Amino acid sequence: MIDKKHIGLTTPPMTFDVEKGRLRFFAKATGQTDPVYVDEAAAERAGYGAIPAPPTFGFCLEMETNSLWDNIETMGVPVGKILHGSQTFKYHKPICAGDRITFETKVSNIFDKKGGALEFITENSTGKNEDGTVVIELERVIVVRN
């Protein structure tokens, strides 16, 4: 059983630059057809200051923090026993090329079902831009099979 003392475990903040080339690649890889995701002029006409990040790109940025793997290791959970249970996003402001996004991730809950056969780790991440404005919140649930 995962020790519930890990509830509240928070990773150190990590900051990442949002690069337009990477946004274009992500847009292409995810099949985005709206030109705002690849064309700076289209993005500006649409009211963005730069190419915006396609939906779910914030998850890619957050994954660079390595928070999931660091927390799993800290809690002593074998990586071979985990499944990605769910992922939710709350968007507050567009993430655009040129932004610097800082993420912090906190373990907000640990609980079990089926007499401990399955354990669940809920992590909440907050991404803030260079102004300190929250631009995205993510929640993931990791399932641990015992």
Side-chain angles (χ1 to χ4, degrees):
M1 297 292 282
I2 303 168
D3 193 328
K4 292 187 179 180
K5 73 178 184 183
H6 297 296
I7 296 173
L9 177 67
T10 304
T11 59
M14 294 188 72
T15 302
F16 302 94
D17 294 321
V18 180
E19 301 166 356
K20 62 183 171 187
R22 190 167 171 207
L23 292 178
R24 287 180 175 130
F25 181 78
F26 187 86
K28 183 178 179 182
T30 57
Q32 303 299 320
T33 58
D34 190 331
V36 299
Y37 296 120
V38 294
D39 181 347
E40 291 177 80
E44 287 184 26
R45 282 192 302 274
Y48 297 102
I51 294 174
T56 72
F57 181 79
F59 179 64
C60 292
L61 280 178
E62 191 277 334
M63 286 298 291
E64 289 188 37
T65 68
N66 212 37
S67 62
L68 170 63
W69 310 115
D70 292 345
N71 287 342
I72 294 295
E73 183 178 347
T74 299
M75 290 186 256
V77 175
V79 172
K81 293 189 171 204
I82 66 169
L83 299 169
H84 188 207
S86 69
Q87 183 73 47
T88 60
F89 302 87
K90 186 184 262 185
Y91 300 99
H92 296 277
K93 187 176 179 184
I95 296 172
C96 292
D99 285 351
R100 299 195 79 214
I101 307 297
T102 301
F103 285 96
E104 282 187 315
T105 299
K106 180 178 184 178
V107 175
S108 60
N109 198 8
I110 299 170
F111 60 96
D112 64 273
K113 293 184 177 179
K114 298 190 175 191
L118 298 173
E119 292 181 282
F120 298 82
I121 303 165
T122 305
E123 293 182 320
N124 294 90
S125 298
T126 301
K128 297 179 181 177
N129 66 14
E130 59 276 10
D131 299 326
T133 301
V134 175
V135 293
I136 189 168
E137 293 177 276
L138 306 101
E139 181 178 281
R140 82 173 141 243
V141 177
I142 301 299
V143 182
V144 181
R145 297 171 288 124
N146 291 318

